[in-house]
Every structure is written in structure tokens, then in C-alpha cells.
Amino acid sequence: MPKIKNKRAQLFTLIAIALIGFMFISFELFSFVGQRQTVKSRISTMEGFLDSVEKNLERQMFISGFRIIFLAEDKTTRTGEYISDVDGFFNEAFFNGTVNSQENEILNGATYDAFVTSINDKAKKINVEISLKNPRVFVSQDDPWHVKFTLVSDFVMEDKSGLAKWEKQQNISAFIPIERFEDPMYVINTNARVSRKINQTAFEGNYVVGNDISNLLSHLEKGYYAANPNAPSFLNRLNGNFSADENGIESFVNTVQLLQQGLSVYEKTNIDYIYFSSSSPVS
């Protein structure tokens, strides 16, 4: 009898050990699965937040670029001078919130520091911290009708509990339409007496239909602009550079308007970038 009891006791002990081991393994497994689900959920939340951050940055870059162009045009009107360093003008306005070292209230909320503060105010709500290291901005044109304003930075987004982290070089671009902005070439060369807003022609490639020239006349009378790679781009015009650019635009000068404003007129072609230049080809 004692031997049978001992064997039963041993069996119960083994079963108990097995059950305890199974429970331990199950607990570890459930704990691991739970942790994975937590990390997966956290990553999903952060990915969604990252997407919203990038979209918001695009909107903010658009607002900033638009305001900086407005300030550049305001400067040309007030001073009668072109923007000699367009890149420098954009960089100063974006990073410092100043024009010629003077703060400008138009740039409130539209600078680099304002962007970073705004992003992290939102990031705090989900226990995330974001930094945009080594920021650089570039202004360019990819087509005749938009200014491209780009922010490049080393983007870092980190969960404060250490569960996840993103690191990447981030390029955020906004495309600001130039239509309805003043053409700096007219502002400078008419002493701001003649205003010419940039409006893209509706008649590109369709100026003359048979013997009907009404589209061409409308194009000229309304001061429309057409794309021409032999003409200067909008940024070139802002800079006072009359050279050809693949994103160039051109209009025709209305000499009657010049006369009405007491300005001298020249016997030369009425294509704006040639008319206002020092070159003198005939019409």
C-alpha cells in the first residue's frame, strides 16, 4: 500500500508541476501577445499621426510661401527694386520671421519655429515628441504657373515610452500659384504706375481660328500671360533676371496705358521682357 500511495503522490506532483508550467507558459504567451498588440496599436496610431503631420505641414508651407511672395512683392513696390537674393529672402522670412532684419506680423504662425511648436502641441496629446533637424528651405519652379516651396529636414518622431521611433529625411513641398500676383517687371519699370496681375491666357494655341482673331485681341486687351521657355520665369522676374527659363512666361505691354500714366514709350517689340530690357530689337 505505501508504494501505491507514493506513486500516486508522485503522479499528482508531476501533474501539478505540469499544470503550473502550462499556466506559466500561457501567461508568458498571453503577455507576449498582449505586448505585441500594444506595440502594433501604438505604431498604427503614430503612423496615422505622421500622415496628418505631413498633410498639415504641406498646408502650412503653402501659407508660409504665399505670405513670403506677398512680402517680396510688397518690398518691390515700396523700394522700386528687385529682390536681389530670392533664396535669401525666403530663408530669412521663413526661419527668422523677418524682412531685412525687421519682424513682420504677416509671418506670425508661418515660420519654422511656429511649425515645430504647433506640431509638438498636437504630439503631446498622444505622448509623442517630434523634431525637424537640419532644416533647409528651397524655392523653385517646376512649371510656369507655380512657385515650389520645399522644406527638407531630418525628421524624428519618437514615442516617449520608447515603444516606437521614426527617423527619415523628409521633403515637404507646397505649390503656390502665381496667378493674381503682381508682375514685378511692371512694378519696377513703370514706377508702380501700371499694375499688371499675372493671369494665364485662356487661348493658348488657339489665338487665331481661320480668319477670326478675336481670341488674340482678347488676349492682348486683357493682358494675359502665356508660357514661353524663351521668357523669364516668375522667380526670375522677382529677381530682375530677364534671361530665358524653361518655366518662362510673357505678356504684351499696352503702350497706351503707359502714355496715359505719363510714361515714355519705345519703338520696339511689345513683348514685356524685351520691351523693358536694354535690348532694342524692332517689332
Side-chain angles (χ1 to χ4, degrees):
M1 272 311 270
K3 290 184 178 180
I4 294 174
K5 288 182 179 180
N6 288 339
K7 286 182 179 179
R8 286 179 178 174
Q10 290 174 356
L11 179 61
F12 283 127
T13 300
L14 290 173
I15 292 172
I17 292 172
L19 287 172
I20 292 170
F22 177 75
M23 290 174 62
F24 178 78
I25 292 170
S26 297
F27 175 79
E28 289 294 320
L29 180 61
F30 285 131
S31 178
F32 174 73
V33 171
Q35 189 176 27
R36 280 193 68 180
Q37 285 299 115
T38 300
V39 173
K40 186 176 180 180
S41 175
R42 187 61 174 152
I43 289 173
S44 178
T45 298
M46 291 178 69
E47 283 179 340
F49 183 69
L50 175 60
D51 183 59
S52 70
V53 164
E54 291 180 334
K55 289 179 180 177
N56 190 49
L57 272 174
E58 288 177 11
R59 289 192 293 269
Q60 289 177 309
M61 288 295 290
F62 181 93
I63 292 169
S64 180
F66 188 94
R67 293 183 186 182
I68 294 172
I69 293 173
F70 174 83
L71 289 172
E73 295 220 307
D74 178 65
K75 183 182 177 183
T76 63
T77 301
R78 288 185 296 99
T79 65
E81 299 176 353
Y82 292 107
I83 306 299
S84 60
D85 181 4
V86 173
D87 286 327
F89 188 93
F90 270 76
N91 270 269
E92 179 188 351
F94 182 69
F95 287 114
N96 300 338
T98 61
V99 174
N100 288 345
S101 300
Q102 299 296 315
E103 290 187 5
N104 195 298
E105 62 181 9
I106 291 177
L107 293 170
N108 288 347
T111 63
Y112 168 77
D113 287 341
F115 289 4
V116 174
T117 299
S118 175
I119 290 169
N120 276 297
D121 283 345
K122 296 179 177 68
K124 288 176 184 176
K125 297 176 182 178
I126 62 167
N127 203 36
V128 166
E129 186 171 6
I130 291 177
S131 62
L132 281 64
K133 300 177 181 178
N134 303 315
R136 292 91 69 202
V137 290
F138 304 93
V139 57
S140 61
Q141 286 191 244
D142 287 351
D143 69 74
W145 307 109
H146 296 84
V147 169
K148 182 181 180 181
F149 191 37
T150 302
L151 170 64
V152 179
S153 66
D154 297 326
F155 181 89
V156 180
M157 180 171 68
E158 188 170 10
D159 175 71
K160 290 184 178 179
S161 62
L163 285 177
K165 182 178 182 180
W166 273 261
E167 289 183 292
K168 67 174 184 175
Q169 186 178 78
Q170 186 182 60
N171 288 41
I172 299 292
S173 294
F175 295 86
I176 299 100
I178 64 170
E179 289 194 79
R180 308 306 299 167
F181 279 112
E182 298 278 353
D183 185 342
M185 192 175 286
Y186 281 81
V187 172
I188 301 298
N189 289 283
T190 68
N191 297 317
R193 295 184 195 177
V194 175
S195 172
R196 177 66 66 86
K197 291 185 183 295
I198 297 172
N199 284 299
Q200 184 178 359
T201 185
F203 309 115
E204 188 71 62
N206 194 34
Y207 296 107
V208 179
V209 181
N211 295 321
D212 184 0
I213 63 170
S214 58
N215 286 352
L216 177 60
L217 292 175
S218 182
H219 173 85
L220 297 174
E221 289 170 1
K222 294 180 178 178
Y224 284 150
Y225 284 74
N228 184 349
N230 295 316
S233 67
F234 173 74
L235 289 179
N236 280 355
R237 289 166 182 263
L238 200 58
N239 181 243
N241 181 353
F242 286 32
S243 60
D245 188 281
E246 61 181 351
N247 297 306
I249 54 174
E250 67 179 16
S251 70
F252 287 88
V253 176
N254 185 336
T255 54
V256 174
Q257 284 184 318
L258 301 187
L259 286 170
Q260 290 173 340
Q261 295 300 320
L263 298 168
S264 300
V265 297
Y266 310 117
E267 293 295 327
K268 58 194 295 190
T269 179
N270 284 26
I271 298 175
D272 59 11
Y273 67 95
I274 298 176
Y275 184 85
F276 289 126
S277 73
S278 58
S279 60
S280 301
V282 294
S283 302

